[in-house]
Amino acid sequence: MVATPVLCVRRLSKTFPGQRALADVDLDVEPGEIRALVGQNGCGKSTLIKALAGFHEPDAGSEVTVAGKPLAFGDPTSADAAGLRFVHQDLGLVAALDAVDNLALGHGYETGRLGLIRWRRERARAREALQELGYEFEISRPVGGLAASERTAVAVARALSRHSTPPRVLVLDEPTANLPAAEADRLFALVRSVRDAGVAVIFVSHHLEEVFGLCDTVTVLRDGRLVTTRPTAGLTESDLVELMIGRRLAQYDVPPAETAHQGDVVLDVRGLATAVLGGLDLSVRAGEVVGFAGITGSGREELALALFGGRPRTGVVTIGDRTVPQLRPDLAVQYGMGLVPAERHANAAFLDADLQENVVVASPAAFARRGLLRRGRERSDVARWLERLNVRPSGTQRAMSTLSGGNQQKVVLARWLRRQPHVLVLDEPTQGVDVGAKAEIHALVDQAAADGAAVVVVSTDHDELARLCGRVLVLAGGRVVAELHHADLHADRITAAAVGHTLRSAS
Amino acid sequence: MTTEAAEPANAAADVLVTEAESAEPDRATSDVVSVEPDRATLTRRLPRLNLGLDRFSGLYVWTLIILVFGIWLPDTFLTSYNFQIIAGDQAITAMLALGLIIPLAAGVFDLSCAATLGFAVTVVTWLLKEGFNPVLAILITLACGAFIGFVNGLVVVRLNVDSFIGTLGMSSILAAGAYWVTNGEQIVNTFSKSFLDAGSTRLWGVSLPFYYMLLLAAILYVIVDHTPVGRYLYAAGGNPQAARLAGMRVGRVVWGSLITSATLAALTGVILAAKLGSASQDVGPPYLLQAFSAVFLGSTQIKAGRMNVLGTLVAIYLLATGVKGLQLGGSPSYVNSLFNGLALIIAVALAARTYRRK
């Protein structure tokens, strides 16, 4: 392509007190290009995006031009006027409002005489904007009730539609972090259609297959510096990982050793049923890691919480020889179950509390004597666990909110590992987690199993399931439709089974 | 504390041990011991220095207020008598606010606490007028408080009514109850001398309720900061869903917090009755805003971002000192409400700002 770059970043630096978050980053993005921006958490991606969006004012000497015109720093309005548009990971939608209202949040309503909203026109435009992105759904439903990719479409439509200037650059910040695989495909079609309209797209993602499947070029940041920008063609996944983390991943990449003899059945489930799940039977032995896959609506999303008793269910769940009644997570914990739930911020993290409290919350009285806490002992115990799980930055008194997603997830894991659970249930354990932390979390799961826990992993990341599990059950329509064992455990086979092609083992 | 003491017990979960450490366990552990405290203290101390101004801003402002009024009104303000008055006057508000910390920490409002206080005043007065033994009368009043809290919990936890609405409704019901007990009239001259003495005797120049309040503060401080109960409260208030999925019975925590605050409000009512020596149906409600102000203002102090005992005490006496100074300086009586309201809004706004910056 011989196009001139629409976005030129030169010597972009940003220094926070005591920390240089970005150092002399150069970036050129051309119209009609999908550029991946990758790097581990803390590499400067977010700072770069926030600097572009006008939330951070970069250091003196930084220059950004959009379509040849210099961008005024520290001013979100001028970024918008220059044609820079952003869709953040949380999308920024109001769940209780419908698509029309959410679109209007971006640009206001069109009003007729008397200042009344011209609803018919608004609805037609909303429908049209979504159709251009390849989406057609009932726009009067609250967006909270839409599928995840439909919500993303609403956010993208809002970013692109009806500003005073046309969009030139669309920045998507981890748009797939909370998206099931099948819906991610719809999103990619959407991103391509945006690109084809001549907009430059910057796509931030932790999923390397997305980088290769969707993006034309990739920019890698590490420790606030530009590592490289190059075409994705000719690059392999392990090359890219090496560029991101600055070392080979091989040390983590070894599949877990086959456990020679497995222990007794620790978790026994008979006829587990919820609104979607229809009568699931399951036995997991000590030391075994069992995975669950399935597309959205297969029952996969409900499984972990149902097992733990966090949502209404029927059926019998037994840990050892004790039956856990439904809706009693406290008893599940008492009997030795631990849950790392999906959607960490809503379900697991106490963001304002310190790391110590986040860890000890599952056993608040573990170090108490005569009813009084012994904080010193507790602190050194927690500090040891944070050290062991390589939580960075460490420090038991640090607020949870100051940690990156991967490190928060390790803190949640520490909460349970510290209790040496008999049963460990993990729901999307590496959602929104960078590559390095992901490998570490996988190693921790291996170790928990080696220590005798019965582990259940529910994930949409099929590489993860293949990496962790000795056995993967595939759900569809609330039932197990396939069971894959060692020889069959490959991400592609899991995916194939999940989307409905029953794949019989060749061997 | 030695970090390696419990090592053998947890050795099984020792996960990410590097090659070097596993090869040379002795050196590795000695490294951990020597490095760990330094890093821990560094990361802990540095932000604390920065936060000092925010967390202790109340103490600085309090000192400033005392200095300003001390220079302006050395003869009336800067007297031990004045400080004895301030200490004694605020005991009731402080006790009510201390009880209120519990449900607010657990993430629910108890808007009925002041009405419970007022209701308790009328109940204990009426019981004594009817000739009940004082100890029995006090116990019955406390039981009434506990029952009110129980009903609040039933409404909030079981019926899923928002605590703001549920306790507001209870507040109105209790106002009716207080009227019903007193028949709308003031009840006077029903107390024995010893009961009255318990509310008004001075010790070192300060009336006894101040010492009851200190005792209550000490007990609550220990419970909230040094027993697992505080953990339950803050976890339930911080993220109820996460607390539930960490195995906590959040409904019980919330329910218990409402019973506690109502019982403590009833206890405060008993002391207020002894202090006042009479009862009318409208004595409770004026304490509501003051108690809430104190807890919210207090949550910006000492342990910023959390409702806490010491912060609440600082807030109460900071406000009372300012109001007293202004009154002695000749300001009109409405300055009390004005000062309280302004201080609350400004303090919470400042706290919100520091919070955002974090």
Side-chain angles (χ1 to χ4, degrees):
Chain A
M1 228 181 285
V2 234
T4 46
V6 58
L7 175 70
C8 284
V9 175
R10 289 287 172 272
R11 299 180 305 281
L12 185 65
S13 301
K14 172 69 190 171
T15 311
F16 292 111
Q19 186 202 355
R20 190 140 206 229
L22 277 180
D24 294 322
V25 172
D26 291 349
L27 191 68
D28 289 313
V29 188
E30 292 169 8
E33 173 185 358
I34 302 179
R35 167 72 56 88
L37 182 61
V38 300
Q40 295 193 79
N41 286 337
C43 70
K45 280 177 310 197
S46 316
T47 313
L48 173 61
I49 288 168
K50 284 179 180 161
L52 290 178
F55 288 114
H56 288 328
E57 186 148 1
D59 298 346
S62 310
E63 269 178 38
V64 174
T65 58
V66 182
K69 289 187 196 137
L71 180 74
F73 289 130
D75 176 14
T77 329
S78 78
D80 191 72
L84 299 180
R85 301 292 148 72
F86 300 85
V87 174
H88 295 287
Q89 190 180 340
D90 63 9
L91 303 182
L93 300 177
V94 181
L97 298 180
D98 67 16
V100 181
D101 290 326
N102 270 293
L103 285 173
L105 288 177
H107 50 65
Y109 295 96
E110 186 184 338
T111 51
R113 274 179 303 171
L114 301 174
L116 299 178
I117 298 170
R118 306 175 77 168
W119 282 113
R120 197 176 310 175
R121 180 92 65 100
E122 287 286 340
R123 275 193 287 272
R125 287 201 183 184
R127 205 170 285 126
E128 196 183 324
L130 288 164
Q131 266 167 3
E132 274 173 26
L133 299 173
Y135 280 79
E136 225 164 314
F137 51 84
E138 184 44 65
I139 55 168
S140 61
R141 278 171 57 197
V143 296
L146 298 175
S149 69
E150 291 170 343
R151 286 200 296 273
T152 309
V154 173
V156 172
R158 183 172 72 189
L160 297 180
S161 70
R162 264 205 281 163
H163 293 251
S164 48
T165 48
R168 293 202 169 90
V169 180
L170 175 68
V171 180
L172 296 166
D173 190 1
E174 290 188 49
T176 55
N178 300 309
L179 226 52
E183 296 199 28
D185 289 341
R186 287 186 73 188
L187 178 72
F188 298 160
L190 178 160
V191 174
R192 291 194 185 97
S193 74
V194 171
R195 181 218 19 217
D196 295 342
V199 175
V201 178
I202 297 179
F203 190 89
V204 181
S205 179
H206 282 130
H207 293 281
L208 300 187
E209 71 275 15
E210 295 174 5
V211 171
F212 288 100
L214 178 69
C215 303
D216 308 309
T217 49
V218 54
T219 293
V220 183
L221 294 181
R222 188 169 73 227
D223 300 329
R225 294 178 181 279
L226 179 71
V227 176
T228 184
T229 296
R230 52 173 89 169
T232 50
L235 207 60
T236 68
E237 250 184 56
S238 58
D239 291 342
L240 187 54
V241 169
E242 195 181 342
L243 289 169
M244 285 165 68
I245 66 177
R247 61 182 152 90
R248 281 261 154 212
L249 250 195
Q251 51 187 330
Y252 292 120
D253 224 7
V254 190
E258 201 89 354
T259 319
H261 70 95
Q262 283 182 336
D264 301 331
V265 170
V266 180
L267 174 69
D268 192 65
V269 179
R270 293 290 148 231
L272 180 78
T274 64
V276 179
L277 285 171
L280 180 80
D281 294 339
L282 173 71
S283 291
V284 187
R285 293 175 178 277
E288 196 184 7
V289 183
V290 176
F292 277 89
I295 58 168
T296 306
S298 63
R300 184 205 73 233
E301 309 96 314
E302 298 192 347
L303 180 68
L305 274 182
L307 273 179
F308 192 65
R311 64 156 67 223
R313 64 156 193 239
T314 55
V316 182
V317 175
T318 317
I319 302 169
D321 51 5
R322 293 196 279 195
T323 303
V324 190
Q326 71 148 347
L327 294 177
R328 287 297 298 272
D330 58 310
L331 289 182
V333 171
Q334 197 182 316
Y335 298 166
M337 193 187 272
L339 169 71
V340 176
E343 294 179 37
R344 181 172 54 246
H345 282 190
N347 294 331
F350 299 87
L351 291 174
D352 298 335
D354 60 35
L355 300 189
Q356 182 171 350
E357 292 188 335
N358 269 283
V359 171
V360 302
V361 66
S363 29
F367 283 85
R369 198 168 71 179
R370 293 201 206 97
L372 294 182
L373 297 174
R374 291 188 291 181
R375 285 179 189 276
R377 280 167 191 251
E378 195 177 79
R379 179 173 306 146
S380 51
D381 184 64
V382 170
R384 197 169 57 243
W385 277 98
L386 297 181
E387 189 71 25
R388 202 167 274 172
L389 269 60
N390 198 24
V391 173
R392 289 285 173 269
S394 66
T396 54
Q397 310 304 301
R398 175 178 288 281
M400 183 75 154
S401 57
T402 63
L403 262 55
S404 68
N407 283 299
Q408 288 181 357
Q409 193 73 340
K410 286 192 266 179
V411 171
V412 176
L413 259 172
R415 178 186 298 172
W416 297 116
L417 293 181
R418 184 167 165 271
R419 292 178 57 92
Q420 304 185 321
H422 301 310
V423 179
L424 185 60
V425 180
L426 305 151
D427 199 357
E428 303 287 0
T430 56
Q431 197 175 45
V433 162
D434 68 85
V435 175
K438 188 170 172 175
E440 289 174 353
I441 289 171
H442 287 169
L444 290 166
V445 173
D446 292 344
Q447 186 64 42
D451 291 344
V455 182
V456 174
V457 183
V458 181
S459 181
T460 47
D461 181 342
H462 296 160
D463 282 316
E464 173 167 275
L465 292 176
R467 155 74 182 75
L468 285 175
C469 304
R471 174 157 72 104
V472 171
L473 306 178
V474 179
L475 295 171
R479 297 185 179 280
V480 176
V481 293
E483 179 166 344
L484 305 174
H485 290 269
H486 312 286
D488 284 343
L489 272 182
H490 187 275
D492 296 340
R493 290 190 182 228
I494 300 173
T495 307
V499 298
H501 307 288
T502 319
L503 203 76
R504 282 274 152 254
S505 163
S507 57
Chain B
M1 284 283 82
T2 52
T3 45
E4 77 273 39
E7 200 73 36
N10 291 316
D14 203 342
V15 182
L16 290 168
V17 187
T18 65
E19 302 275 328
E21 277 170 353
S22 52
E24 292 181 55
D26 290 342
R27 199 176 62 82
T29 38
S30 69
D31 275 356
V32 169
V33 172
S34 62
V35 170
E36 173 66 24
D38 290 349
R39 194 190 299 146
T41 42
L42 268 181
T43 48
R44 261 209 312 280
R45 288 289 144 69
L46 283 178
R48 181 164 296 181
L49 277 178
N50 297 335
L51 281 172
L53 267 176
D54 299 330
R55 292 173 57 229
F56 300 113
S57 60
L59 291 174
Y60 298 132
V61 172
W62 195 3
T63 314
L64 191 70
I65 289 175
I66 293 174
L67 280 176
V68 167
F69 285 113
I71 291 165
W72 182 22
L73 309 161
D75 299 333
T76 46
F77 184 82
L78 215 55
T79 58
S80 58
Y81 176 72
N82 184 40
F83 287 105
Q84 287 159 358
I85 292 293
I86 293 175
D89 277 358
Q90 294 303 315
I92 299 297
T93 313
M95 284 186 78
L96 192 65
L98 288 169
L100 196 52
I101 290 173
I102 307 294
L104 287 177
V108 288
F109 282 93
D110 183 0
L111 289 176
S112 66
C113 66
T116 306
L117 165 88
F119 182 69
V121 170
T122 62
V123 167
V124 75
T125 311
W126 180 80
L127 288 171
L128 291 171
K129 193 182 82 176
E130 294 296 305
F132 278 79
N133 171 314
V135 174
L136 190 61
I138 291 170
L139 288 178
I140 293 175
T141 310
L142 295 185
C144 283
F147 181 72
I148 291 164
F150 177 82
V151 175
N152 277 336
L154 190 75
V155 170
V156 170
V157 177
R158 277 289 145 77
L159 305 183
N160 279 316
V161 176
D162 185 87
S163 64
F164 201 92
I165 303 299
T167 58
L168 191 62
M170 175 56 84
S171 172
S172 182
I173 292 168
L174 291 173
Y179 194 96
W180 177 65
V181 172
T182 59
N183 216 359
E185 290 157 10
Q186 203 171 29
I187 309 178
V188 285
N189 293 333
T190 61
F191 295 141
S192 65
K193 182 167 181 318
S194 60
F195 190 76
L196 285 173
D197 284 348
S200 52
T201 304
R202 286 170 187 274
L203 180 63
W204 299 308
V206 183
S207 59
L208 281 179
F210 175 71
Y211 301 100
Y212 305 150
M213 184 277 288
L214 284 187
L215 182 66
L216 178 66
I219 293 170
L220 286 183
Y221 175 77
V222 170
I223 290 177
V224 171
D225 268 31
H226 292 282
T227 72
V229 175
R231 292 268 162 77
Y232 293 116
L233 293 174
Y234 289 126
N239 185 344
Q241 169 72 351
R244 195 172 70 95
L245 294 182
M248 215 168 262
R249 305 200 69 184
V250 174
R252 294 200 168 191
V253 174
V254 166
W255 203 324
S257 76
L258 288 168
I259 293 176
T260 308
S261 70
T263 310
L264 291 178
L267 176 67
T268 312
V270 170
I271 293 167
L272 180 58
K275 190 179 171 184
L276 292 175
S278 66
S280 58
Q281 95 280 358
D282 55 0
V283 29
Y287 287 98
L288 184 65
L289 182 82
Q290 289 185 43
F292 267 90
S293 301
V295 180
F296 276 98
L297 186 52
S299 74
T300 68
Q301 299 297 315
I302 314 292
K303 288 192 163 184
R306 278 190 170 176
M307 317 289 170
N308 70 89
V309 171
L310 295 178
T312 302
L313 291 185
V314 168
I316 284 196
Y317 284 101
L318 161 74
L319 293 175
T321 311
V323 168
K324 196 71 180 173
L326 289 173
Q327 284 172 350
L328 289 174
S331 308
S333 61
Y334 61 73
V335 82
N336 189 343
S337 304
L338 185 70
F339 190 83
N340 277 320
L342 280 177
L344 174 69
I345 293 171
I346 292 169
V348 175
L350 284 176
R353 203 169 124 241
T354 51
Y355 213 69
R356 270 200 306 276
R357 262 187 314 198
K358 226 170 42 174

